[in-house]
Tab-separated table of all heavy atoms in Angstrom:
chain	number	residue	atom	x	y	z
A	21	ILE	N	-22.403	-10.903	9.209
A	21	ILE	CA	-21.258	-10.297	8.520
A	21	ILE	C	-21.687	-9.629	7.216
A	21	ILE	O	-21.083	-8.651	6.788
A	21	ILE	CB	-20.113	-11.306	8.281
A	21	ILE	CG1	-20.561	-12.471	7.404
A	21	ILE	CG2	-19.556	-11.806	9.603
A	21	ILE	CD1	-19.440	-13.468	7.087
A	22	LEU	N	-22.757	-10.137	6.592
A	22	LEU	CA	-23.274	-9.467	5.395
A	22	LEU	C	-23.821	-8.090	5.742
A	22	LEU	O	-23.595	-7.108	5.020
A	22	LEU	CB	-24.360	-10.302	4.723
A	22	LEU	CG	-23.924	-11.532	3.925
A	22	LEU	CD1	-25.093	-12.060	3.105
A	22	LEU	CD2	-22.756	-11.222	3.000
A	23	HIS	N	-24.567	-8.005	6.842
A	23	HIS	CA	-25.097	-6.706	7.264
A	23	HIS	C	-23.966	-5.760	7.659
A	23	HIS	O	-24.048	-4.544	7.409
A	23	HIS	CB	-26.083	-6.890	8.421
A	23	HIS	CG	-27.438	-7.354	7.989
A	23	HIS	ND1	-28.394	-6.494	7.481
A	23	HIS	CD2	-28.000	-8.596	7.957
A	23	HIS	CE1	-29.485	-7.179	7.175
A	23	HIS	NE2	-29.275	-8.450	7.448
A	24	ALA	N	-22.913	-6.287	8.285
A	24	ALA	CA	-21.757	-5.453	8.634
A	24	ALA	C	-21.102	-4.900	7.372
A	24	ALA	O	-20.768	-3.711	7.294
A	24	ALA	CB	-20.751	-6.270	9.445
A	25	LEU	N	-20.939	-5.758	6.369
A	25	LEU	CA	-20.380	-5.321	5.085
A	25	LEU	C	-21.289	-4.294	4.425
A	25	LEU	O	-20.823	-3.299	3.858
A	25	LEU	CB	-20.186	-6.530	4.165
A	25	LEU	CG	-19.797	-6.242	2.711
A	25	LEU	CD1	-18.467	-5.496	2.637
A	25	LEU	CD2	-19.726	-7.535	1.910
A	26	GLY	N	-22.590	-4.537	4.498
A	26	GLY	CA	-23.545	-3.602	3.900
A	26	GLY	C	-23.428	-2.214	4.503
A	26	GLY	O	-23.526	-1.203	3.782
A	27	HIS	N	-23.188	-2.140	5.810
A	27	HIS	CA	-23.045	-0.827	6.447
A	27	HIS	C	-21.776	-0.131	5.958
A	27	HIS	O	-21.775	1.083	5.707
A	27	HIS	CB	-22.994	-0.983	7.965
A	27	HIS	CG	-22.861	0.326	8.685
A	27	HIS	ND1	-23.876	1.261	8.726
A	27	HIS	CD2	-21.814	0.879	9.370
A	27	HIS	CE1	-23.476	2.324	9.410
A	27	HIS	NE2	-22.229	2.116	9.807
A	28	ALA	N	-20.698	-0.894	5.811
A	28	ALA	CA	-19.455	-0.304	5.292
A	28	ALA	C	-19.669	0.260	3.895
A	28	ALA	O	-19.110	1.306	3.537
A	28	ALA	CB	-18.341	-1.353	5.277
A	29	ALA	N	-20.499	-0.429	3.090
A	29	ALA	CA	-20.795	0.061	1.741
A	29	ALA	C	-21.652	1.324	1.797
A	29	ALA	O	-21.434	2.273	1.031
A	29	ALA	CB	-21.501	-1.028	0.939
A	30	GLU	N	-22.625	1.344	2.696
A	30	GLU	CA	-23.468	2.532	2.842
A	30	GLU	C	-22.644	3.755	3.215
A	30	GLU	O	-22.933	4.875	2.793
A	30	GLU	CB	-24.537	2.287	3.913
A	30	GLU	CG	-25.643	1.339	3.481
A	30	GLU	CD	-26.612	1.055	4.606
A	30	GLU	OE1	-26.527	1.736	5.660
A	30	GLU	OE2	-27.469	0.159	4.451
A	31	LYS	N	-21.604	3.529	4.002
A	31	LYS	CA	-20.715	4.620	4.404
A	31	LYS	C	-19.670	4.935	3.330
A	31	LYS	O	-18.882	5.870	3.483
A	31	LYS	CB	-19.991	4.240	5.707
A	31	LYS	CG	-20.899	4.203	6.924
A	31	LYS	CD	-21.228	5.614	7.386
A	31	LYS	CE	-21.918	5.598	8.732
A	31	LYS	NZ	-22.130	6.966	9.263
A	32	ASN	N	-19.650	4.119	2.285
A	32	ASN	CA	-18.674	4.275	1.200
A	32	ASN	C	-17.239	4.184	1.710
A	32	ASN	O	-16.346	4.898	1.255
A	32	ASN	CB	-18.885	5.605	0.459
A	32	ASN	CG	-18.229	5.605	-0.918
A	32	ASN	OD1	-18.098	4.556	-1.552
A	32	ASN	ND2	-17.817	6.758	-1.381
A	33	TRP	N	-17.043	3.283	2.672
A	33	TRP	CA	-15.707	3.081	3.219
A	33	TRP	C	-14.860	2.234	2.276
A	33	TRP	O	-15.387	1.472	1.452
A	33	TRP	CB	-15.811	2.441	4.601
A	33	TRP	CG	-16.209	3.450	5.648
A	33	TRP	CD1	-15.987	4.794	5.598
A	33	TRP	CD2	-16.889	3.201	6.883
A	33	TRP	NE1	-16.479	5.407	6.736
A	33	TRP	CE2	-17.038	4.462	7.547
A	33	TRP	CE3	-17.378	2.056	7.506
A	33	TRP	CZ2	-17.659	4.587	8.778
A	33	TRP	CZ3	-17.993	2.183	8.750
A	33	TRP	CH2	-18.136	3.434	9.374
A	34	PRO	N	-13.533	2.322	2.371
A	34	PRO	CA	-12.638	1.668	1.401
A	34	PRO	C	-12.552	0.155	1.601
A	34	PRO	O	-13.139	-0.421	2.519
A	34	PRO	CB	-11.289	2.341	1.661
A	34	PRO	CG	-11.359	2.778	3.087
A	34	PRO	CD	-12.792	3.164	3.326
A	35	LEU	N	-11.764	-0.468	0.732
A	35	LEU	CA	-11.681	-1.929	0.669
A	35	LEU	C	-11.236	-2.542	1.983
A	35	LEU	O	-11.786	-3.567	2.408
A	35	LEU	CB	-10.732	-2.344	-0.460
A	35	LEU	CG	-10.520	-3.849	-0.656
A	35	LEU	CD1	-11.832	-4.534	-1.037
A	35	LEU	CD2	-9.455	-4.106	-1.732
A	36	ASP	N	-10.240	-1.959	2.661
A	36	ASP	CA	-9.744	-2.582	3.883
A	36	ASP	C	-10.827	-2.659	4.960
A	36	ASP	O	-10.970	-3.686	5.637
A	36	ASP	CB	-8.492	-1.859	4.408
A	36	ASP	CG	-8.672	-0.355	4.529
A	36	ASP	OD1	-9.790	0.148	4.310
A	36	ASP	OD2	-7.680	0.337	4.841
A	37	ILE	N	-11.631	-1.615	5.090
A	37	ILE	CA	-12.719	-1.624	6.073
A	37	ILE	C	-13.786	-2.633	5.674
A	37	ILE	O	-14.318	-3.374	6.510
A	37	ILE	CB	-13.339	-0.227	6.217
A	37	ILE	CG1	-12.281	0.819	6.546
A	37	ILE	CG2	-14.440	-0.242	7.293
A	37	ILE	CD1	-11.563	0.581	7.837
A	38	ARG	N	-14.106	-2.688	4.406
A	38	ARG	CA	-15.148	-3.611	3.938
A	38	ARG	C	-14.723	-5.070	4.143
A	38	ARG	O	-15.527	-5.903	4.573
A	38	ARG	CB	-15.470	-3.354	2.461
A	38	ARG	CG	-16.054	-1.976	2.206
A	38	ARG	CD	-16.646	-1.878	0.813
A	38	ARG	NE	-16.936	-0.497	0.439
A	38	ARG	CZ	-17.807	-0.140	-0.480
A	38	ARG	NH1	-18.480	-1.060	-1.150
A	38	ARG	NH2	-18.020	1.133	-0.769
A	39	LEU	N	-13.466	-5.366	3.833
A	39	LEU	CA	-12.988	-6.733	4.037
A	39	LEU	C	-12.967	-7.091	5.523
A	39	LEU	O	-13.349	-8.200	5.913
A	39	LEU	CB	-11.590	-6.901	3.437
A	39	LEU	CG	-11.505	-6.912	1.911
A	39	LEU	CD1	-10.051	-6.962	1.457
A	39	LEU	CD2	-12.281	-8.084	1.314
A	40	ALA	N	-12.539	-6.158	6.365
A	40	ALA	CA	-12.523	-6.417	7.804
A	40	ALA	C	-13.936	-6.624	8.327
A	40	ALA	O	-14.175	-7.487	9.184
A	40	ALA	CB	-11.843	-5.262	8.540
A	41	ALA	N	-14.893	-5.859	7.809
A	41	ALA	CA	-16.293	-6.029	8.214
A	41	ALA	C	-16.804	-7.408	7.797
A	41	ALA	O	-17.487	-8.096	8.568
A	41	ALA	CB	-17.155	-4.926	7.602
A	42	LEU	N	-16.464	-7.828	6.588
A	42	LEU	CA	-16.907	-9.130	6.090
A	42	LEU	C	-16.267	-10.274	6.855
A	42	LEU	O	-16.900	-11.311	7.105
A	42	LEU	CB	-16.580	-9.248	4.596
A	42	LEU	CG	-16.943	-10.568	3.910
A	42	LEU	CD1	-18.457	-10.800	3.926
A	42	LEU	CD2	-16.419	-10.598	2.479
A	43	PHE	N	-15.011	-10.095	7.256
A	43	PHE	CA	-14.257	-11.192	7.879
A	43	PHE	C	-14.217	-11.147	9.401
A	43	PHE	O	-13.679	-12.065	10.023
A	43	PHE	CB	-12.804	-11.162	7.370
A	43	PHE	CG	-12.648	-11.475	5.901
A	43	PHE	CD1	-11.616	-10.906	5.167
A	43	PHE	CD2	-13.521	-12.328	5.255
A	43	PHE	CE1	-11.451	-11.201	3.819
A	43	PHE	CE2	-13.376	-12.622	3.903
A	43	PHE	CZ	-12.341	-12.059	3.192
A	44	HIS	N	-14.757	-10.105	10.027
A	44	HIS	CA	-14.466	-9.892	11.447
A	44	HIS	C	-14.917	-11.045	12.335
A	44	HIS	O	-14.295	-11.336	13.347
A	44	HIS	CB	-15.070	-8.562	11.930
A	44	HIS	CG	-16.545	-8.584	12.158
A	44	HIS	ND1	-17.452	-8.464	11.135
A	44	HIS	CD2	-17.268	-8.715	13.301
A	44	HIS	CE1	-18.683	-8.510	11.634
A	44	HIS	NE2	-18.607	-8.664	12.952
A	45	ASP	N	-16.009	-11.730	11.975
A	45	ASP	CA	-16.498	-12.845	12.797
A	45	ASP	C	-16.324	-14.202	12.112
A	45	ASP	O	-17.007	-15.172	12.455
A	45	ASP	CB	-17.976	-12.639	13.141
A	45	ASP	CG	-18.173	-11.737	14.350
A	45	ASP	OD1	-17.174	-11.397	14.996
A	45	ASP	OD2	-19.321	-11.356	14.639
A	46	ILE	N	-15.393	-14.275	11.179
A	46	ILE	CA	-15.235	-15.498	10.402
A	46	ILE	C	-14.755	-16.657	11.266
A	46	ILE	O	-14.924	-17.835	10.925
A	46	ILE	CB	-14.276	-15.254	9.214
A	46	ILE	CG1	-14.517	-16.287	8.104
A	46	ILE	CG2	-12.822	-15.231	9.668
A	46	ILE	CD1	-13.894	-15.905	6.784
A	47	GLY	N	-14.170	-16.346	12.439
A	47	GLY	CA	-13.700	-17.394	13.337
A	47	GLY	C	-14.761	-17.921	14.294
A	47	GLY	O	-14.494	-18.867	15.051
A	48	LYS	N	-15.963	-17.346	14.262
A	48	LYS	CA	-16.989	-17.749	15.226
A	48	LYS	C	-17.434	-19.211	15.087
A	48	LYS	O	-17.560	-19.912	16.106
A	48	LYS	CB	-18.193	-16.813	15.142
A	48	LYS	CG	-18.032	-15.568	15.990
A	48	LYS	CD	-19.324	-14.785	16.090
A	48	LYS	CE	-19.218	-13.697	17.163
A	48	LYS	NZ	-20.459	-12.931	17.298
A	49	PRO	N	-17.719	-19.708	13.882
A	49	PRO	CA	-18.163	-21.106	13.795
A	49	PRO	C	-17.169	-22.097	14.404
A	49	PRO	O	-17.573	-23.102	14.997
A	49	PRO	CB	-18.330	-21.328	12.285
A	49	PRO	CG	-18.635	-19.970	11.737
A	49	PRO	CD	-17.800	-19.048	12.558
A	50	LYS	N	-15.880	-21.820	14.270
A	50	LYS	CA	-14.866	-22.749	14.800
A	50	LYS	C	-14.726	-22.644	16.315
A	50	LYS	O	-14.168	-23.550	16.956
A	50	LYS	CB	-13.510	-22.478	14.135
A	50	LYS	CG	-13.473	-22.839	12.660
A	50	LYS	CD	-12.068	-22.726	12.101
A	50	LYS	CE	-12.017	-23.030	10.611
A	50	LYS	NZ	-12.523	-24.378	10.275
A	51	THR	N	-15.205	-21.566	16.904
A	51	THR	CA	-15.026	-21.377	18.350
A	51	THR	C	-16.349	-21.468	19.113
A	51	THR	O	-16.356	-21.284	20.333
A	51	THR	CB	-14.387	-20.002	18.630
A	51	THR	OG1	-15.221	-18.970	18.075
A	51	THR	CG2	-12.998	-19.915	18.013
A	52	ARG	N	-17.448	-21.740	18.420
A	52	ARG	CA	-18.748	-21.751	19.095
A	52	ARG	C	-18.848	-22.920	20.071
A	52	ARG	O	-18.553	-24.060	19.729
A	52	ARG	CB	-19.894	-21.825	18.076
A	52	ARG	CG	-21.264	-21.629	18.722
A	52	ARG	CD	-22.368	-21.607	17.696
A	52	ARG	NE	-22.652	-22.925	17.159
A	52	ARG	CZ	-23.830	-23.281	16.620
A	52	ARG	NH1	-24.816	-22.406	16.549
A	52	ARG	NH2	-23.997	-24.492	16.148
A	53	ARG	N	-19.256	-22.611	21.292
A	53	ARG	CA	-19.483	-23.621	22.325
A	53	ARG	C	-20.804	-23.311	23.024
A	53	ARG	O	-21.207	-22.152	23.128
A	53	ARG	CB	-18.354	-23.612	23.362
A	53	ARG	CG	-16.963	-23.880	22.807
A	53	ARG	CD	-16.799	-25.309	22.318
A	53	ARG	NE	-15.437	-25.554	21.858
A	53	ARG	CZ	-15.020	-25.349	20.612
A	53	ARG	NH1	-15.865	-24.874	19.697
A	53	ARG	NH2	-13.767	-25.592	20.277
A	54	TRP	N	-21.454	-24.355	23.513
A	54	TRP	CA	-22.718	-24.168	24.223
A	54	TRP	C	-22.447	-24.102	25.716
A	54	TRP	O	-21.819	-24.991	26.298
A	54	TRP	CB	-23.689	-25.296	23.919
A	54	TRP	CG	-25.002	-25.154	24.653
A	54	TRP	CD1	-25.443	-25.871	25.724
A	54	TRP	CD2	-26.042	-24.217	24.349
A	54	TRP	NE1	-26.678	-25.447	26.119
A	54	TRP	CE2	-27.078	-24.427	25.292
A	54	TRP	CE3	-26.192	-23.214	23.390
A	54	TRP	CZ2	-28.251	-23.683	25.303
A	54	TRP	CZ3	-27.358	-22.468	23.389
A	54	TRP	CH2	-28.368	-22.704	24.321
A	55	ASP	N	-22.883	-23.039	26.335
A	55	ASP	CA	-22.717	-22.859	27.775
A	55	ASP	C	-24.092	-23.005	28.430
A	55	ASP	O	-24.944	-22.135	28.303
A	55	ASP	CB	-22.133	-21.467	28.055
A	55	ASP	CG	-21.917	-21.212	29.542
A	55	ASP	OD1	-22.243	-22.111	30.339
A	55	ASP	OD2	-21.432	-20.126	29.886
A	56	GLY	N	-24.294	-24.098	29.127
A	56	GLY	CA	-25.597	-24.377	29.726
A	56	GLY	C	-25.707	-23.946	31.159
A	56	GLY	O	-26.639	-24.353	31.867
């Protein structure tokens, strides 16, 4: 998510895009499951 945010900054995109980039995968740790 840091790299995603970094790309939004490189593109000089506005706050809403940057926040969405930073938060887009914030739910992953709570939903991670191991599929064997």
Side-chain angles (χ1 to χ4, degrees):
I21 61 177
L22 285 192
H23 281 279
L25 172 61
H27 181 69
E30 287 176 10
K31 290 285 190 174
N32 199 29
W33 283 334
L35 179 63
D36 51 5
I37 305 299
R38 296 193 193 203
L39 289 175
L42 179 63
F43 293 149
H44 76 280
D45 276 352
I46 203 165
K48 274 190 169 181
K50 292 188 182 302
T51 58
R52 189 176 74 156
R53 301 291 183 271
W54 179 254
D55 181 359

